[in-house]
């Protein structure tokens, strides 16, 4: 892809096109699930239905426009910044899979900590009213709504995604573009799943201990509070911002037990 071509332009095309394909393709399984009656029992919020065709189309248009107007310019600036920090762009061979996995794990941990505090800050009065409220238009979220957000929020939370790799690159001088691209892919998978509104038996949090997932984040949209983290549950546990969520889960479990006893 890079040989004989402008490295900056290829990087731009690679990042933007892959972002569009991965983000919207990741939403397709949930769009299909919406049309299968037997899967609706896995819908987390049974009473509040917002994943209508009209709402999905509204979100799709907004997100697509946002990608071109706000995210594309940020991606344009990625290559010169990455090169400045010493990131390997087109060199081969690729790094070993073990090294990539370790670095990506670090990026997940850093982004989760950054996201927790940035997200919690966005719930502060004027920040919520003028910025974050747009994302909370959906109290029963669906996959496409993962990046349905105010431009300022896109910049703030997007910083957490890219700052980890850049800081690591600056500190160690050891990071390849393929690792960054893999990390961004997994981050998109996580974001869409968290907003999917479905809790399937195979959902990530059901087999990966400590993972947030849709079951955790859906409560945040429903209650407009608690569960500020993005990938893992530990920050909410450590800082006590999951108490209402825990009480809600206990109440729901008690109601289910009482109903089953009838």
């Amino acid at each position: 892809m890079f040989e004989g071509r402008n490295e900056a332009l290829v990087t731009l095309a690679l990042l933007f096109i892959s972002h569009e394909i991965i983000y919207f393709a990741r939403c397709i399984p949930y769009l299909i699930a919406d049309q299968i009656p037997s899967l609706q029992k896995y819908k987390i919020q049974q009473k509040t239905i917002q994943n209508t065709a009209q709402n999905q189309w509204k979100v799709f248009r907004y997100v697509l426009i946002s990608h071109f107007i706000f995210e594309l310019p940020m991606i344009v600036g990625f290559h010169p910044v990455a090169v400045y920090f010493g990131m390997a762009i087109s060199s081969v061979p690729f790094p070993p899979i073990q090294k990539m996995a370790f670095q990506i794990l670090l990026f997940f941990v850093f982004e989760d900590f950054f996201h927790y505090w940035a997200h919690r800050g966005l719930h502060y009065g004027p920040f919520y009213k003028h910025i974050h409220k747009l994302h909370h238009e959906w109290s029963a979220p669906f996959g496409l709504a993962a990046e349905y957000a105010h431009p300022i929020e896109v910049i703030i939370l997007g910083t957490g995604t890219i700052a980890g790799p850049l800081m690591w690159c600056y500190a160690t001088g050891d990071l390849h573009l393929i690792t960054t691209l893999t990390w961004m892919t997994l981050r998109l998978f996580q974001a869409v799943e968290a907003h999917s509104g479905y809790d399937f038996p195979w959902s990530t949090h059901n087999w990966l201990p400590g993972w947030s997932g849709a079951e955790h984040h859906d409560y945040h949209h429903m209650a407009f509070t608690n569960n500020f983290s993005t990938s893992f549950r530990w920050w909410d546990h450590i800082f006590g911002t999951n108490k209402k969520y825990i009480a809600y889960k206990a109440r729901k479990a008690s109601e289910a037990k009482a109903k089953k006893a009838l």
Side-chain angles (χ1 to χ4, degrees), residues 67-82:
H67 285 175
F68 278 91
I69 296 179
F70 302 112
E71 293 193 22
L72 181 57
M74 289 191 288
I75 295 175
V76 169
F78 172 82
H79 181 268
V81 174

Side-chain angles (χ1 to χ4, degrees), residues 46-196:
Q46 296 286 332
K47 296 181 180 179
T48 304
I49 306 299
Q50 293 187 320
N51 58 331
T52 63
Q54 182 180 5
N55 288 342
Q56 300 266 15
W57 175 242
K58 174 185 176 180
V59 170
F60 172 77
R61 285 182 298 163
Y62 178 91
V63 169
L64 187 61
I65 293 172
S66 175
H67 285 175
F68 278 91
I69 296 179
F70 302 112
E71 293 193 22
L72 181 57
M74 289 191 288
I75 295 175
V76 169
F78 172 82
H79 181 268
V81 174
V83 171
Y84 174 80
F85 279 94
M87 185 180 298
I89 302 298
S90 57
S91 60
V92 289
F94 291 155
I97 190 68
Q98 298 91 334
K99 178 186 288 188
M100 292 176 61
F102 174 71
Q103 292 173 345
I104 290 170
L105 176 61
L106 291 180
F107 301 157
F108 263 113
V109 173
F110 172 82
E111 192 280 333
D112 195 50
F113 182 76
F114 181 96
H115 187 106
Y116 174 85
W117 288 107
H119 186 191
R120 191 171 174 180
L122 285 170
H123 274 261
Y124 170 70
F127 296 154
Y128 180 84
K129 180 179 179 181
H130 298 292
I131 301 174
H132 193 48
K133 187 176 181 180
L134 177 65
H135 184 66
H136 274 280
E137 182 177 336
W138 313 110
S139 58
F142 43 90
L144 281 170
E147 292 189 349
Y148 183 86
H150 191 284
I152 294 178
E153 179 172 346
V154 171
I155 295 172
I156 293 173
L157 298 185
T159 299
T161 299
I162 194 58
L166 291 179
M167 290 170 60
W168 175 263
C169 190
Y170 180 76
T172 67
D174 183 18
L175 185 64
H176 198 285
L177 177 64
I178 192 65
T179 305
T180 305
L181 183 59
T182 305
W183 149 240
M184 290 179 175
T185 299
L186 294 174
R187 177 72 178 94
L188 286 174
F189 267 63
Q190 178 275 324
V192 173
E193 181 194 42
H195 291 84
S196 68

